[in-house]
């Protein structure tokens, strides 16, 4: 995909008025400046979304494995969830720039703010996940450990998806317009990565349920992302441009290859390593694709004006 969108694509993005009465508009802004500013988030955010997704997904897997009697798998998933939880607050604080800013976000709880809910979720989830892991490793207070696992599992669902709501709750076109699919894509990606990590660590005998979770979630993730691109239409172009396009292509191929290897590679260590590794890498690349596509759409006014013009036309036609 070239840097510049061709004129036909631009005409589809920003159709002027209805029918042939008004010609397609050439979107220009003062001094060709973007309509909105690019996000201020830095490189730590896609990594945070990835590690937080693995942590949340692993906490849910821990609960499911415990309930279904897969105690050994639950132990592995709990350890992976804890390992993925450790860097998450570090990455978030690094993005904020100063540690006290994270503390400031905890001074109030605003249910209508995804960032406020996410900050509190991260804090409570880290405590539950870390506490459950410590009690399990020491073999102390099994009832309290089970309670911590339940809390981590419930909070894990929020950990895996609140970042999608955070992305969608911005003015960035390719994030806001994808608000219907992003939570499902992030949830499926978290389940894919968590299942792959547990399968990789536990092996085929213990990690069978994790392998099946990874394969199923990978298929769902591919379907949701493809559905999102089709629904967005021309607005999905940032996902195919520049580095976002490279990440999106890598994510598609890695996830598909990883799911295939995981489905057929049971019992072979090398295939397990390659399959789980591809699923983990594909999950990470998909988050980088979403992250970078937001920057591309923010700096091009066509992606901001196009959806607004479409909604205005739809309102006049109603």
């Amino acid at each position: 995909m070239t840097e510049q969108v061709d004129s036909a694509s631009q005409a589809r993005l920003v159709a002027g008025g209805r029918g042939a009465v008004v010609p397609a508009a050439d979107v220009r802004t003062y001094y060709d400046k973007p309509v909105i500013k690019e996000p201020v988030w830095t490189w730590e955010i896609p990594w945070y979304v990835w590690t937080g997704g693995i942590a949340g997904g692993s906490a849910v897997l821990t609960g499911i494995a415990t309930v279904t009697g897969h105690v050994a798998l639950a132990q592995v998933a709990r350890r992976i969830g804890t390992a993925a939880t450790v860097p998450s607050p570090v990455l978030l604080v690094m993005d904020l720039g100063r540690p006290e800013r994270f503390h400031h976000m905890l001074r109030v709880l605003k249910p209508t703010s995804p960032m406020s809910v996410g900050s509190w979720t991260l804090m409570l989830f880290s405590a539950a996940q870390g506490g459950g892991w410590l009690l399990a490793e020491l073999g102390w207070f099994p009832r309290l450990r089970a309670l911590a696992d339940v809390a981590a599992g419930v909070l894990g669902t929020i950990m895996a998806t609140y970042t999608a709501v955070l992305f969608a709750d911005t003015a960035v076109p390719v994030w806001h317009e994808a608000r219907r699919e992003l939570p499902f894509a992030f949830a499926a990606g978290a389940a894919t990565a968590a299942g792959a990590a547990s399968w990789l660590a536990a092996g085929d005998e213990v990690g069978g349920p994790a392998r099946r979770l990874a394969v199923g979630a990978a298929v769902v993730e591919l379907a949701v992302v493809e559905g999102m691109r089709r629904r967005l239409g021309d607005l999905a172009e940032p996902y195919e441009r520049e580095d976002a396009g490279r990440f999106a292509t890598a994510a598609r191929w890695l996830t598909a290859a990883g799911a295939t290897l995981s489905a057929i590679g049971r019992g072979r260590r090398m295939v397990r390593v390659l399959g789980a590794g591809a699923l983990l890498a594909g999950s990470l690349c998909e988050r980088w694709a979403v992250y970078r596509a937001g920057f591309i759409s923010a700096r091009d006014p066509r992606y901001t004006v196009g959806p607004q013009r479409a909604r205005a036309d739809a309102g006049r036609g109603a």
Side-chain angles (χ1 to χ4, degrees):
M1 198 75 182
T2 59
E3 290 281 333
Q4 300 296 326
V5 181
D6 59 36
S7 57
S9 180
Q10 178 175 322
R12 291 194 302 272
L13 261 177
V14 189
R18 288 176 290 168
V21 177
V22 180
D26 181 16
V27 177
R28 300 295 299 273
T29 58
Y30 287 111
Y31 303 104
D32 290 328
K33 295 293 184 182
V35 176
I36 62 173
K37 292 183 178 178
E38 292 186 23
V40 296
W41 295 340
T42 52
W43 62 267
E44 294 90 349
I45 292 301
W47 284 97
Y48 168 70
V49 174
W50 187 63
T51 59
I54 295 176
S58 296
V60 175
L61 179 59
T62 300
I64 295 174
T66 301
V67 170
T68 56
H70 296 86
V71 179
L73 176 59
Q75 182 74 340
V76 172
R78 190 183 293 109
R79 288 171 178 169
I80 290 175
T82 304
T85 301
V86 171
S88 296
V90 177
L91 291 167
L92 186 57
V93 169
M94 287 174 65
D95 174 71
L96 293 172
R98 297 207 306 264
E100 61 267 28
R101 288 178 177 168
F102 183 71
H103 168 263
H104 296 339
M105 289 195 296
L106 297 176
R107 291 191 295 190
V108 295
L109 173 60
K110 292 179 65 178
T112 57
S113 168
M115 184 169 290
S116 177
V117 172
S119 302
W120 275 95
T121 299
L122 175 60
M123 186 189 69
L124 296 174
F125 174 81
S126 299
Q129 179 68 30
W133 166 78
L134 183 61
L135 292 174
E137 295 296 326
L138 295 174
W140 292 353
F141 309 112
R143 292 185 178 180
L144 184 58
R145 188 263 303 157
L147 185 62
D149 282 347
V150 170
V154 173
L155 293 168
T157 60
I158 305 175
M159 272 293 294
T161 55
Y162 93 87
T163 46
V165 180
L166 186 64
F167 274 59
D169 195 39
T170 65
V172 176
V174 80
W175 293 345
H176 184 72
E177 297 298 326
R179 59 190 178 277
R180 297 180 189 172
E181 295 89 358
L182 275 183
F184 296 101
F186 277 31
T192 301
S198 290
W199 177 45
L200 181 62
D204 289 313
E205 186 175 350
V206 173
R211 179 181 66 87
R212 291 190 287 274
L213 171 66
V215 173
V219 173
V220 172
E221 182 182 12
L222 288 170
V224 171
V225 172
E226 182 60 27
M228 179 183 73
R229 290 198 179 100
R230 289 176 181 270
R231 190 182 66 77
L232 291 178
D234 293 323
L235 188 57
E237 286 173 350
Y239 283 106
E240 304 297 333
R241 293 173 57 187
E242 304 174 37
D243 54 347
R246 292 189 286 274
F247 279 120
T249 301
R252 206 157 40 236
W253 282 104
L254 285 168
T255 303
T260 303
L261 289 172
S262 301
I264 66 174
R266 182 181 180 186
R268 286 173 284 184
R269 184 175 182 277
M270 182 55 67
V271 176
R272 184 176 79 245
V273 171
L274 292 175
L279 289 174
L280 286 164
S283 175
L284 177 60
C285 287
E286 188 59 49
R287 274 130 194 82
W288 268 97
V290 172
Y291 171 74
R292 289 302 305 162
F295 287 76
I296 297 170
S297 71
R299 64 172 173 257
D300 192 329
R302 288 170 299 181
Y303 300 120
T304 305
V305 176
Q308 294 174 348
R309 182 70 60 84
R311 283 192 290 269
D313 288 346
R316 283 194 295 268

